[in-house]
Amino acid sequence: MAVNKLTYLVIENAPDVCEGIIRRMSTFEKWQSLGYCLGVKDAIEKTSSNKPDLIFLDWGLNGGSAYEVLQEIQNTPNYNPYVIFNTGFQ
């Protein structure tokens, strides 16, 4: 029996955080990683072309912020992914 995979994309400006999320998510068989993006431009391109079911999204991104990504999602008809925000201020 084939398992339908749910997809996710990590959008975060710190590669080590991206890799950590993907590593932790790899234990869930029904979830498939679409990789990660460090900046707004790449995030919008990957989100638009792949339409992941779940997005891990950082507030601060290279070249802008989460607002640009959210605006693109909002303007995409019939697309309503789950979004988990992650941010850290020290």
Side-chain angles (χ1 to χ4, degrees):
M1 177 170 78
V3 175
N4 289 334
K5 298 273 186 170
L6 297 167
T7 59
Y8 70 93
L9 179 64
V10 181
I11 304 171
E12 160 70 60
N13 63 349
D16 57 330
V17 173
C18 296
E19 292 164 3
I21 291 170
I22 292 170
R23 186 174 49 255
R24 287 185 208 100
M25 286 293 292
S26 69
T27 62
F28 298 98
E29 292 179 15
K30 289 187 178 183
W31 287 96
Q32 178 180 338
S33 171
L34 297 174
Y36 64 85
C37 307
L38 303 176
V40 171
K41 183 180 176 187
D42 190 28
I44 288 173
E45 288 173 7
K46 280 191 178 177
T47 301
S48 296
S49 62
N50 295 297
K51 294 186 177 49
D53 300 298
L54 171 64
I55 298 171
F56 292 94
L57 181 60
D58 187 16
W59 283 110
L61 301 168
N62 296 332
S65 72
Y67 294 110
E68 287 92 346
V69 178
L70 291 173
Q71 188 68 48
E72 183 68 26
I73 291 168
Q74 180 177 313
N75 291 333
T76 303
N78 302 314
Y79 180 51
N80 297 299
Y82 290 97
V83 177
I84 297 175
F85 283 102
N86 46 292
T87 188
F89 293 100
Q90 299 176 356

